[in-house]
Amino acid sequence: MLHYMGRRLFQLIPVLLGMTFIVFMLIRAIPGNPAQVILGQQATKEAVEALNANLGLNKPWYTQYFSYLGGIFQGDLGVSLRTRLPVSEEIFPYLAATAELALFAMIIAVVVGVNAGIISAWFQNSWFDYVAMVVALVGVSVPVFWLGLMEQWAFSNQLGWFPTSGREDVRNPITSMTHFYLLDTLIQGRFDQFTEVLKRLVLPGVALATIPMAIIARITRSSMLEVMRSDYVRTARAKGQKMFIVVYKHALKNAVIPVLTVIGLQTGLLLGGAILTETIFSWPGIGRYIYDAIGFRDYPVIQSGILIIAFIFIMINLIVDLLYTVIDPRIKYK
Amino acid sequence: MKKKKFWTLGVMLILVLSTILAACGGSDTKDTGSKDTSSGGDTASSGEPKILVYGRGGDSVALDPAVVTDGESFTVTANIYETLVNFGEKDVTIQPGLAKSWEPSEDGLTYTFQLQEGVKFHDGTDFNAEAVVKNFERWKSNTDKHPYFSSQFVVGDTQVIESVTAEGNNTVVFKLSQPQAPFLKNLAMSPFAIASPTAFEADEEGLSTNPVGTGPFKFVSWVRNDAITIEKNPDYYIDGYPKLDKVIYRSIPENSARLTDLIAGNIDVADGLSPSDKGTIEGDANLQLIERPSMNVGYLGLTVTRPPFDNVKVRQAVNYAIDKQALVDAFYEGLAEPAKNPMPPVISGYNDEVKGYEYDPEKAKSLLAEAGYDGKEIELWAMPVPRPYMPDGQKVAEAIQKNLEDVGIKSKIVSFEWATYLEKAENGEADAFLLGWTGDNGDADNFLYTLLDGDNIHSNNYTFYDNQELHKLLVAAQTEIDEDKRNELYKQAQEIISEDAPWVPLAHSTPILAANTKVTNYVAHPTGSDRLDAVDMK
């Protein structure tokens, strides 16, 4: 197992290296020079050239690439061209903001998705099954931005239950230590702020959870259906065991592997794909951070942002793979 | 295994419950209107502290106005720092600022400023002549890092400001290498705000995240992409100002979300709204509509080096073909006036005598026939982002496409991501493109020379229009100190431009903001950076 983990981590190196290279080349292939974008329409030609030199962008690409790589190995992700702050310092609050949101969304998606899938499978072809699967179908098809705007209209504008945007009440600001606001407020014992943060997580969380929730529900359902046709479930049911026991003790354990795979993939996707949700709900997260950086041609931020997300994505998949062995002891890695 | 499963189930259950609880909690607290409940630490002398939350579309880049070029940065710095001279409350006339008076010499080469006394920077440093000198020396010695300084005060390799010297504690003398007509207007611009020398001598880069000025508000905190908080400067040199205790600038990128936040009372002012939101704002008794005086122009550029627009008759034909009034009615909700010159009427030197081109498709057709236009399809570039001068580039382009089709010009609408759009247009790759400009300092030079002079090809002159006669007028105007003579030069320039028709000037728009009715005294400034020292809350 340890050996397997070591090998997987070792395999990471060429993957991430290749990725740095591809991202590096791709973002330089798009038109738009950073100095020009930073200085804006107003800039003179001389100013643009001077800034290019200042930023080291007039050097050949391979010099830039290797100095970037060299930096990464020393834990230096470069300096944002736009704000002139080190990316490694700047990026963490954004990462934390998205992680908190993504985690919250995944919890909703898993809890609701898995249970909806189970109930649908158990009462196959019942009205619940039909409704749940139609909802799931709508869930994967509905555009996230539309859903977000509708949520705002309904739950903020009309009902006034939840705030529209942001992570905190700016009039009652949170003193942040970890940048995970739920954690921060708990540590400080500020329960008023804790509820505020939780309330603000709900709408973007639900918007973000919708697609994974729908996918998880569908996968769980089909996986459960398959398992429930198997002999041991039939035996358990024949013995007159309660539904709850049959499902959660016998069936789910065997049905959960594909579900887990989907959860892993979706979590990774959430991290990178939160841009729309973050924009609509003014969430200061990593998606918007990278998106803004693309608009400004802020190369170090784009490179490092994508690198970090890729790294997390790969790590989540590794964790999922390792979880397989915990859930199903028949799966062994050498 | 059994235990593990039930344990997991338990955790899930708790999470579901907590979510539901949070939702319920929401509905309970909302109705009590507990917006300002626990602002505990604030020291208000009486009653609740006055906190203004200002919603805008983007975050600042940095808080050192000398190193940035974006409007969102200046929006904040205009309240932390001050300049030697100010613009008027609603216009671009020159008023006292950190300098109480000034005296230009006959030849326009020397300016002597008398400074305010007893002013202190937020860090306790005294504001005096020495501080002004140090600020200018900082910008002069490293023009690469200070984009606005180099664009306004460096011509070729020459520094317009030759020297800045202190005479005693409160007098500063500027010597110029050549007369510069918009000199005072330039000094009033946000990038030339005076920062504490103690702060930038200790850590120049630090000024970007920890600004220290003399302004009505002091910097408190910045959560990037989220909120910037500034608070009342208790030692502000003008008695009774500012009125507010705190201002929080929130970035809310989505226009509709910003409006929703305003309606819900989460923010007090919303900047950069779409003209289409005007109705919603006017229909809400809790909101007030604030109109920003127009200082912009939206236009259709015709690249004069590319056929068919290398023919002046075709360009004139396009000018006749476009129904500007219809565009204004349809896409600006009446919050604009049709344009005939490349600069708005508020700018001194505006030529109202210029006849412009009325909507006349027949005339356009005959001009096209005269020009021998071959019916070649053109590319019509639509801006991908909304701007105050162009609320919806795509729709405006569609309307123009229809206008052009009516006179026999076929066009294909194309668009690119914003930075790409600008770069490609700058390289002269567009046939016809939508674009616009918001004035920096309220001077005619900042429109006519910047956008239409041959010197600025490969910079802001995207149409590659180059007319020597015009160039002579514009360059002469840059050093002409006599206001009347100078305006005369600009009037002639506008006639030439109108005749040559490198643009179809479309509209001068009135950008709108909205505020809660409890906000009083909010005055929107044409430059886009609003000073909040007189703003109050009921």
Side-chain angles (χ1 to χ4, degrees):
Chain A
M1 181 82 149
L2 273 179
H3 179 71
Y4 171 76
M5 262 181 77
R7 206 176 64 214
R8 281 286 295 263
L9 288 174
F10 188 73
Q11 280 169 355
L12 267 182
I13 298 171
V15 171
L16 290 176
L17 263 183
M19 218 207 57
T20 57
F21 185 72
I22 293 169
V23 172
F24 183 91
M25 294 315 279
L26 271 182
I27 56 178
R28 276 165 181 76
I30 49 176
N33 166 288
Q36 179 70 59
V37 183
I38 291 165
L39 296 178
Q41 266 175 280
Q42 256 78 357
T44 60
K45 254 196 125 39
E46 294 78 29
V48 172
E49 273 159 27
L51 185 60
N52 261 327
N54 196 322
L55 299 172
L57 292 169
N58 53 351
K59 292 183 193 143
W61 68 266
Y62 47 85
T63 317
Q64 292 184 46
Y65 180 65
F66 286 112
S67 79
Y68 168 60
L69 270 192
I72 292 177
F73 286 117
Q74 291 158 30
D76 174 10
L77 295 175
V79 175
S80 160
L81 302 182
R82 186 167 163 227
T83 63
R84 305 294 177 92
L85 296 175
V87 177
S88 49
E89 262 172 45
E90 208 180 53
I91 206 166
F92 186 72
Y94 297 108
L95 206 56
T98 299
E100 193 170 58
L101 178 60
L103 214 61
F104 186 81
M106 275 325 281
I107 289 169
I108 300 177
V110 170
V111 172
V112 180
V114 166
N115 287 300
I118 289 171
I119 299 171
S120 289
W122 186 266
F123 299 108
Q124 195 192 357
N125 300 330
S126 69
W127 65 268
F128 182 91
D129 185 24
Y130 290 128
V131 171
M133 287 307 112
V134 167
V135 170
L137 187 68
V138 174
V140 272
S141 333
V142 83
V144 175
F145 72 90
W146 182 83
L147 184 70
L149 291 175
M150 285 304 113
E151 280 182 5
Q152 282 181 344
W153 177 79
F155 296 104
S156 285
N157 238 354
Q158 299 300 313
L159 297 169
W161 290 358
F162 299 102
T164 330
S165 67
R167 292 181 77 191
E168 60 174 339
D169 179 359
V170 287
R171 293 180 175 101
N172 179 14
I174 290 167
T175 330
S176 183
M177 288 131 54
T178 64
H179 296 288
F180 288 90
Y181 285 2
L182 285 178
L183 207 62
D184 281 333
T185 49
L186 271 186
I187 295 170
Q188 291 160 16
R190 293 291 302 270
F191 293 105
D192 58 324
Q193 289 185 334
F194 180 80
T195 11
E196 180 70 34
V197 173
L198 209 54
K199 261 163 58 181
R200 281 166 190 271
L201 276 165
V202 173
L203 295 187
V206 169
L208 206 53
T210 307
I211 290 176
M213 185 160 67
I215 296 175
I216 291 169
R218 291 167 67 96
I219 297 281
T220 311
R221 179 178 178 273
S222 62
S223 180
M224 280 296 282
L225 278 177
E226 205 173 301
V227 170
M228 283 193 321
R229 278 189 216 108
S230 59
D231 293 342
Y232 73 92
V233 172
R234 203 175 318 128
T235 312
R237 288 174 88 166
K239 280 201 306 190
Q241 287 218 341
K242 288 209 176 74
M243 168 202 163
F244 190 80
I245 304 284
V246 175
V247 169
Y248 288 93
K249 191 181 165 192
H250 300 292
L252 187 60
K253 204 199 297 176
N254 287 296
V256 85
I257 296 276
V259 177
L260 197 63
T261 312
V262 167
I263 292 173
L265 282 174
Q266 289 294 322
T267 312
L269 288 179
L270 276 196
L271 279 177
I275 300 172
L276 282 174
T277 318
E278 286 174 0
T279 305
I280 291 162
F281 292 96
S282 314
W283 201 262
I286 190 87
R288 240 178 87 202
Y289 178 59
I290 297 176
Y291 179 78
D292 283 354
I294 293 173
F296 275 88
R297 302 289 184 269
D298 195 340
Y299 297 156
V301 171
I302 308 171
Q303 283 160 192
S304 307
I306 296 177
L307 185 68
I308 289 175
I309 288 187
F311 180 74
I312 295 174
F313 191 91
I314 295 170
M315 289 315 284
I316 290 173
N317 279 302
L318 177 61
I319 293 169
V320 168
D321 284 352
L322 295 177
L323 276 180
Y324 291 162
T325 60
V326 178
I327 292 167
D328 187 346
R330 285 172 304 178
I331 300 175
K332 287 225 161 54
Y333 298 119
K334 276 182 278 182
Chain B
M1 235 8 174
K2 219 183 288 173
K3 268 182 196 160
K4 210 181 273 172
K5 191 60 65 188
F6 282 107
W7 184 83
T8 332
L9 206 73
V11 171
M12 284 178 174
L13 216 75
I14 289 170
L15 285 165
V16 173
L17 280 176
S18 62
T19 315
I20 295 167
L21 275 178
C24 299
S27 58
D28 290 338
T29 46
K30 179 74 188 180
D31 298 333
T32 56
S34 58
K35 228 171 284 154
D36 295 329
T37 40
S38 53
S39 15
D42 295 312
T43 50
S45 47
S46 62
E48 294 206 340
K50 292 173 183 169
I51 304 177
L52 181 92
V53 185
Y54 183 104
R56 54 192 188 139
D59 199 9
S60 295
V61 170
L63 294 179
D64 177 358
V67 302
V68 293
T69 55
D70 65 307
E72 295 299 3
S73 293
F74 297 136
T75 298
V76 179
T77 62
N79 288 292
I80 299 175
Y81 299 94
E82 289 175 300
T83 42
L84 286 179
V85 288
N86 286 335
F87 288 124
E89 198 187 15
K90 295 176 186 172
D91 54 31
V92 286
T93 56
I94 296 300
Q95 308 293 335
L98 283 174
K100 24 179 208 195
S101 64
W102 53 91
E103 195 64 53
S105 64
E106 277 292 303
D107 58 4
L109 288 173
T110 311
Y111 283 80
T112 310
F113 290 86
Q114 299 299 327
L115 306 182
Q116 297 280 0
E117 286 158 43
V119 178
K120 276 188 190 304
F121 289 101
H122 300 153
D123 61 0
T125 308
D126 285 321
F127 166 78
N128 52 30
E130 203 48 49
V132 176
V133 172
K134 281 181 179 165
N135 270 275
F136 277 87
E137 272 169 3
R138 174 186 165 221
W139 303 326
K140 268 168 72 71
S141 63
N142 197 344
T143 50
D144 287 357
K145 269 188 160 173
H146 305 116
Y148 262 110
F149 189 83
S150 51
S151 69
Q152 306 304 112
F153 291 122
V154 182
V155 179
D157 289 330
T158 344
Q159 294 240 11
V160 173
I161 299 175
E162 206 168 73
S163 68
V164 185
T165 42
E167 282 183 6
N169 216 11
N170 297 304
T171 308
V172 178
V173 181
F174 283 73
K175 283 221 162 22
L176 309 188
S177 56
Q178 61 186 69
Q180 185 182 44
F183 179 67
L184 290 170
K185 279 183 184 152
N186 284 344
L187 287 188
M189 290 167 67
S190 291
F192 307 115
I194 307 297
S196 161
T198 319
F200 66 75
E201 278 171 354
D203 178 11
E204 197 173 343
E205 298 276 321
L207 216 52
S208 287
T209 46
N210 204 359
V212 187
T214 57
F217 295 94
K218 289 163 50 161
F219 173 74
V220 179
S221 67
W222 186 359
V223 182
R224 285 205 181 251
N225 260 352
D226 192 13
I228 293 176
T229 305
I230 57 179
E231 67 180 7
K232 183 181 195 150
N233 170 10
D235 306 319
Y236 190 54
Y237 72 99
I238 301 174
D239 268 350
Y241 290 92
K243 305 282 187 196
L244 298 167
D245 292 298
K246 222 179 223 185
V247 179
I248 301 166
Y249 292 93
R250 279 206 57 206
S251 32
I252 304 169
E254 187 64 29
N255 274 3
S256 60
R258 197 153 61 246
L259 186 61
T260 307
D261 260 333
L262 180 72
I263 294 168
N266 298 327
I267 59 175
D268 306 305
V269 177
D271 187 10
L273 296 172
S274 328
S276 54
D277 290 331
K278 188 183 173 194
T280 315
I281 299 158
E282 286 174 335
D284 191 324
N286 292 322
L287 301 183
Q288 52 179 317
L289 184 77
I290 300 169
E291 296 188 357
R292 190 183 290 290
S294 171
M295 199 167 80
N296 60 43
V297 58
Y299 65 88
L300 178 73
L302 309 170
T303 309
V304 302
T305 48
R306 295 173 75 93
F309 299 122
D310 51 351
N311 186 328
V312 64
K313 286 194 174 144
V314 178
R315 300 200 297 267
Q316 288 172 338
V318 172
N319 267 279
Y320 281 117
I322 293 171
D323 187 354
K324 298 172 191 175
Q325 188 62 51
L327 291 180
V328 167
D329 293 342
F331 307 116
Y332 294 81
E333 309 282 323
L335 288 163
E337 55 175 319
K340 59 181 181 181
N341 281 316
M343 64 184 201
V346 287
I347 306 283
S348 119
Y350 181 82
N351 190 345
D352 209 15
E353 309 284 300
V354 167
K355 245 184 96 242
Y357 298 82
E358 72 275 21
Y359 174 55
D360 190 344
E362 290 312 313
K363 206 158 183 177
K365 279 184 202 163
S366 67
L367 272 167
L368 284 175
E370 265 179 61
Y373 169 62
D374 56 1
K376 175 181 173 280
E377 187 184 69
I378 61 154
E379 273 190 3
L380 176 60
W381 288 26
M383 283 172 57
V385 289
R387 280 290 178 273
Y389 48 74
M390 189 74 59
D392 191 334
Q394 186 65 33
K395 285 194 183 141
V396 171
E398 282 165 19
I400 289 177
Q401 186 182 40
K402 175 76 178 55
N403 279 160
L404 293 180
E405 200 183 311
D406 289 344
V407 300
I409 302 177
K410 279 208 206 83
S411 59
K412 187 175 79 181
I413 296 177
V414 292
S415 191
F416 306 93
E417 176 268 345
W418 187 224
T420 311
Y421 186 95
L422 288 177
E423 182 170 290
K424 286 168 94 73
E426 191 180 306
N427 292 334
E429 291 174 38
D431 294 330
F433 55 92
L434 288 172
L435 208 61
W437 185 260
T438 299
D440 288 313
N441 58 359
D443 194 83
D445 183 66
N446 185 249
F447 280 88
L448 302 185
Y449 176 77
T450 310
L451 303 174
L452 288 155
D453 192 87
D455 285 355
N456 286 316
I457 288 175
H458 287 300
S459 172
N460 287 305
N461 180 350
Y462 297 103
T463 58
F464 286 63
Y465 169 58
D466 188 4
N467 179 322
Q468 279 310 306
E469 197 191 340
L470 175 74
H471 176 72
K472 275 183 207 141
L473 289 172
L474 293 178
V475 170
Q478 286 178 334
T479 51
E480 178 56 64
I481 303 294
D482 185 317
E483 188 71 15
D484 292 334
K485 283 189 196 155
R486 191 163 183 254
N487 287 344
E488 194 45 51
L489 294 173
Y490 283 126
K491 284 183 177 166
Q492 288 174 34
Q494 286 160 78
E495 271 163 24
I496 296 174
I497 295 165
S498 179
E499 188 58 33
D500 283 346
W503 286 12
V504 183
L506 297 174
H508 306 296
S509 78
T510 303
I512 53 167
L513 293 77
N516 197 299
T517 41
K518 66 186 180 193
V519 177
T520 56
N521 275 344
Y522 195 102
V523 181
H525 197 267
T527 57
S529 308
D530 301 336
R531 292 189 48 149
L532 304 177
D533 39 358
V535 176
D536 206 345
M537 286 173 102
K538 280 190 276 206

